[in-house]
Amino acid sequence: MEKCKIKKDRKMKFSVLVLVGLMLASCGPDTKNIDMNDDRADAVMALDHRDFTKAADTMIKSMLNSNALNKADGSRFVVALSTIKNDTMQRIDTSQLTAKIRRDLLNSGRCIMTTAVGTQQDALNIEARKLRESAEFNQETVQEQGQLVAPDLSLAGKIFQRNIRLDNGDQQVEYYFTLMMTDLKTGLAIWEDEVTMGKRGSGKSATW
Amino acid sequence: MKTLLYFISALFVLTGCMSSKLDKFDDKMSSGEYLDAKDYALKEKKDLLWTLQAAAATNAAGEYKESNELFDKAEDMYIAARSKSNASDKMSTLATVLVNDNAVAYKGEVYDGILINTYKALNFMFLQNWDLARVELNRAYDRQRRAADFYAKEIQEQEEEARKKGFGIDVSKVMKRPELQRMSGIEAYADYVNPLVNLIEVIYLKHKGDIGDSERLRQTQNRLLAMTHSKHLQKDLSTQDAWTWVLIENGQMPRRVEWRLDFPVGIFSGLIREMDNLSIVSIAIPKLQDIPAAYNQFVVNGENVDLVSDMDKIIHAEYSRSLPGILTKALVSMAIKTIVQYQIGRAKGHTTAFFVGLLQAASTQADVRTWSAIPKNYHLAIVPSGTVKLTSRGSLLGSAETKGNSFLFFKVSRGGHVSSHALVLD
């Protein structure tokens, strides 16, 4: 009788534990889709997609408004993407910034981007030329030598971060996005701009 | 009251015997069994302390990718633990006060944070991921900047917390005791800087930086030189020749041991009626114990090396700064436990009070946890690339062949086990 009661008690305790466990498990936040074009969530100290979009938009506008992309003979410049140096404390994939810039520049119709050289290459440019040695391919359809177009301009940049401690113990993080267009023939910079972004938040934790 | 007793007992059981676990891990590191040390650490609690130990052991074994995966996990835990102060975390405060610091998760030291990012940078360099190495060096630099503010705030928070509980503890009065005085005011390098970070940054910028980094390189090199007075750094490194930067990681950092101290009740400026019948109170705090190294002097290709980062000194300086906070916490804990014992004695009789007293004595333990895989010191030599020989007191400890500008990392364990890893910087 006593044994039976202990068993029943244990069963009851176990059921309560399982129930509490299930309740706790169901208490987590729900997953939500976000509108990447209109994300109104709280700002973060690190860089998020909104910062990259804002920086890229501002830079493109500045570049297109300048005369840098106006070629004297009316044709279009060939632009190669060079290095975008990440000098921040964030593990950023800088292609987040350059992909949008490349797309917007191409869509503007003011220049052509090359994927044959630079930091964002299409490996098939070289791979396709290796088919010259293959008997399996119709050699008339294989790219001839001397067809690749060399770039006229190079687009390089840097993202830099500076953290400052404020008197009230908070910290201010400043991000500097710098882009520069160089004429590869002369080595002269023909356009340059900088977008800065500031964030202020708790000083208790690291900003990454 | 029963619940309180259960709570105290449960926390006490969780405390465990940290010191012997650290001893076992340290012994494996000392004999160069780095993968065994990693496995041992990974079988322990998945907390910050053991993740750090596993990450360091994996780095020593030359498993850089895995080491960084572990360091990433450790850094997430370190950030989470540091984003809230102990004083504002009510459960932690309760556990610390009722048991001891061991009852709450290890939250890491300031130098731990700096070394996490420095070792991640080193791992990324060995993995030839130069972009992420730069990110980690920037983080290490920022951690050094933030370190200076940390202790002032932490000590202030703990004093406020003590006042809120009704005790005014004059820590400066406590610190006047000669044995504590000897441990205070120790300085290592200015502003919490660890020159190791600057050294890795110089190596990185010199060989992987671009023209835009030249001013940063010049400044970092000057700062490093001012701190270390290294003769090797003053060499004229002609670009015609290939050079090898030899970094020697030597020995083991100081461990923390328990130290019991007796104080007169008079140190409490607030009137604590329950302590009237006591004349002396005891607390247990951690004290640093230096660990002798197998070798203290090194020679690389016939040239004496330069000591570039003295971890013993850095750890003593950090302990010295945190000592007032450690004392405040231990005194508050002791006072509350004494009051609880007194009240229980009045309400439940002397037998219950006796058992609570036993628990109090047993739970008064110093927090001796520490990331013990950190070395005692780091040494530097810059020599022409080729055959690089490391010797000490005339005996050959290890040698390696380097080609082109290189980075050669020697690890000399506490027990004298030597391993090396080379990286081409060109």
Side-chain angles (χ1 to χ4, degrees):
Chain A
M1 187 71 178
E2 190 62 27
K3 259 188 182 174
C4 192
K5 204 185 160 203
I6 292 171
K7 225 177 178 182
K8 214 173 163 188
D9 266 10
R10 275 191 189 158
K11 246 185 180 174
M12 181 70 122
K13 274 183 187 167
F14 180 71
S15 312
V16 170
L17 269 176
V18 170
L19 201 67
V20 170
L22 283 173
M23 278 166 72
L24 286 174
S26 60
C27 284
D30 295 333
T31 305
K32 277 188 286 186
N33 284 327
I34 57 164
D35 181 356
M36 297 288 273
N37 297 316
D38 186 26
D39 184 359
R40 295 182 187 193
D42 291 342
V44 290
M45 293 290 262
L47 289 168
D48 71 2
H49 71 98
R50 291 169 291 187
D51 302 315
F52 284 110
T53 308
K54 194 179 155 200
D57 282 345
T58 315
M59 298 278 202
I60 293 291
K61 214 178 268 174
S62 156
M63 202 188 298
L64 295 178
N65 286 340
S66 73
N67 289 324
L69 295 177
N70 295 343
K71 210 171 173 183
D73 63 3
S75 64
R76 291 184 289 176
F77 280 119
V78 177
V79 181
L81 267 178
S82 181
T83 319
I84 308 283
K85 189 159 84 179
N86 173 16
D87 204 2
T88 69
M89 293 151 212
Q90 327 290 331
R91 285 192 192 168
I92 303 166
D93 179 2
T94 50
S95 64
Q96 269 184 283
L97 180 72
T98 51
K100 183 168 168 51
I101 290 177
R102 202 179 54 202
R103 203 171 49 240
D104 287 359
L105 277 178
L106 269 173
N107 291 343
S108 75
R110 302 271 296 275
C111 62
I112 303 170
M113 308 296 296
T114 172
T115 61
V117 285
T119 49
Q120 287 186 11
Q121 292 185 32
D122 183 342
L124 263 182
N125 280 314
I126 301 299
E127 196 85 1
R129 282 161 175 80
K130 286 182 186 160
L131 305 179
R132 281 178 199 142
E133 294 140 25
S134 171
E136 297 298 325
F137 285 86
N138 176 352
Q139 290 299 306
E140 280 179 23
T141 64
V142 176
Q143 317 299 326
E144 286 175 30
Q145 281 190 342
Q147 295 300 302
L148 288 176
V149 178
D152 303 301
L153 306 174
S154 159
L155 186 63
K158 182 176 173 174
I159 310 172
F160 175 69
Q161 177 178 353
R162 196 163 157 249
N163 291 358
I164 302 155
R165 184 188 174 272
L166 303 176
D167 288 343
N168 63 0
D170 285 352
Q171 60 182 329
Q172 183 168 305
V173 187
E174 294 168 354
Y175 294 103
Y176 300 80
F177 293 78
T178 312
L179 274 185
M180 183 170 72
M181 187 78 90
T182 304
D183 182 343
L184 289 170
K185 191 174 171 185
T186 60
L188 300 174
I190 56 170
W191 170 86
E192 188 173 349
D193 203 0
E194 183 176 80
V195 172
T196 55
M197 267 173 221
K199 295 171 185 237
R200 210 168 281 166
S202 164
K204 273 188 178 166
S205 182
T207 56
W208 50 89
Chain B
M1 189 48 62
K2 230 179 176 181
T3 326
L4 179 70
L5 278 175
Y6 285 148
F7 181 68
I8 297 174
S9 316
L11 285 176
F12 180 62
V13 168
L14 287 174
T15 303
C17 188
M18 180 56 66
S19 194
S20 71
K21 286 179 179 175
L22 286 175
D23 287 346
K24 278 183 193 152
F25 174 83
D26 290 354
D27 287 345
K28 288 180 192 297
M29 290 293 285
S30 173
S31 54
E33 298 162 72
Y34 301 127
L35 289 175
D36 280 357
K38 175 196 85 176
D39 291 341
Y40 182 84
L42 288 177
K43 276 183 199 137
E44 285 299 323
K45 219 167 139 190
K46 305 262 175 289
D47 64 356
L48 171 62
L49 176 65
W50 288 106
T51 311
L52 282 174
Q53 301 279 48
T58 317
N59 162 274
E63 306 284 339
Y64 303 113
K65 192 167 175 283
E66 192 186 352
S67 174
N68 262 3
E69 284 163 7
L70 288 163
F71 271 126
D72 277 345
K73 276 187 200 163
E75 189 175 25
D76 286 345
M77 291 184 228
Y78 184 85
I79 290 174
R82 298 244 148 198
S83 58
K84 53 183 181 205
S85 65
N86 258 355
S88 64
D89 182 356
K90 295 214 162 42
M91 266 322 277
S92 297
T93 311
L94 186 67
T96 303
V97 163
L98 291 180
V99 187
N100 54 58
D101 274 344
N102 292 293
V104 296
Y106 177 72
K107 65 184 260 189
E109 305 294 335
V110 171
Y111 55 78
D112 287 352
I114 295 167
L115 283 179
I116 288 173
N117 297 114
T118 310
Y119 273 90
K120 279 208 275 182
L122 268 172
N123 284 341
F124 277 129
M125 283 168 71
F126 276 106
L127 290 167
Q128 313 242 350
N129 191 335
W130 306 104
D131 291 348
L132 290 185
R134 179 186 277 270
V135 169
E136 295 301 336
L137 283 171
N138 287 345
R139 289 180 178 186
Y141 181 81
D142 192 57
R143 285 210 184 278
Q144 304 210 114
R145 177 192 66 82
R146 293 164 53 78
D149 305 325
F150 176 76
Y151 278 117
K153 225 163 72 186
E154 174 99 341
I155 292 160
Q156 197 188 340
E157 275 181 2
Q158 275 161 5
E159 281 175 358
E160 269 167 29
E161 192 64 17
R163 263 195 296 280
K164 266 192 235 160
K165 288 191 170 70
F167 320 123
I169 296 172
D170 188 353
V171 184
S172 59
K173 214 161 122 188
V174 177
M175 289 294 294
K176 278 191 183 130
R177 286 176 59 141
E179 66 266 53
L180 291 170
Q181 279 253 282
R182 276 197 296 277
M183 292 177 194
S184 64
I186 298 170
E187 288 294 329
Y189 304 98
D191 300 329
Y192 292 82
V193 168
N194 184 342
L196 177 72
V197 181
N198 300 67
L199 173 65
I200 306 297
E201 196 176 339
V202 165
I203 298 171
Y204 177 92
L205 293 175
K206 222 174 170 85
H207 296 280
K208 293 293 162 187
D210 55 31
I211 193 77
D213 290 320
S214 52
E215 180 55 22
R216 180 174 164 185
L217 171 63
R218 193 187 63 79
Q219 283 184 12
T220 311
Q221 206 157 0
N222 285 347
R223 233 173 305 170
L224 181 60
L225 205 53
M227 283 186 282
T228 61
H229 310 289
S230 162
K231 287 193 172 63
H232 286 274
L233 278 171
Q234 293 172 58
K235 279 183 180 172
D236 179 20
L237 304 180
S238 136
T239 47
Q240 307 296 315
D241 304 309
W243 298 92
T244 297
W245 297 70
V246 184
L247 180 66
I248 303 146
E249 183 189 290
N250 179 41
Q252 191 188 341
M253 62 169 282
R255 276 274 302 269
R256 290 181 169 217
V257 292
E258 187 166 285
W259 187 28
R260 290 199 173 243
L261 281 165
D262 295 329
F263 287 99
V265 173
I267 53 162
F268 291 95
S269 59
L271 183 69
I272 303 175
R273 186 165 41 88
E274 290 84 346
M275 293 169 77
D276 279 353
N277 57 341
L278 298 173
S279 55
I280 281 175
V281 288
S282 298
I283 58 164
I285 62 164
K287 186 165 87 165
L288 294 176
Q289 191 172 62
D290 288 349
I291 296 175
Y295 303 100
N296 291 308
Q297 282 177 334
F298 298 99
V299 171
V300 173
N301 287 3
E303 291 183 61
N304 285 329
V305 299
D306 294 328
L307 174 68
V308 280
S309 174
D310 188 341
M311 284 310 302
D312 273 7
K313 219 163 144 188
I314 290 174
I315 289 162
H316 275 281
E318 194 155 325
Y319 172 82
S320 150
R321 286 183 198 105
S322 62
L323 193 53
I326 294 173
L327 281 165
T328 309
K329 248 198 300 190
L331 287 165
V332 168
S333 169
M334 179 273 302
I336 287 183
K337 284 174 190 167
T338 310
I339 293 166
V340 167
Q341 190 190 347
Y342 176 82
Q343 297 289 0
I344 290 173
R346 273 183 47 176
K348 300 274 172 185
H350 290 303
T351 317
T352 317
F354 172 74
F355 284 111
V356 175
L358 278 184
L359 266 178
Q360 176 182 346
S363 66
T364 305
Q365 283 184 351
D367 183 3
V368 295
R369 291 172 298 178
T370 191
W371 179 17
S372 62
I374 294 175
K376 190 178 185 66
N377 44 40
Y378 297 89
H379 303 262
L380 170 77
I382 307 171
V383 294
S385 293
T387 305
V388 180
K389 286 183 177 169
L390 175 71
T391 55
S392 182
R393 298 190 298 257
S395 13
L396 180 68
L397 300 183
S399 71
E401 287 295 324
T402 58
K403 216 175 163 189
N405 288 311
S406 303
F407 174 59
L408 180 59
F409 185 84
F410 278 109
K411 177 161 178 66
V412 183
S413 74
R414 180 189 79 195
H417 179 271
V418 182
S419 57
S420 68
H421 296 276
L423 166 72
V424 178
L425 294 167
D426 291 328

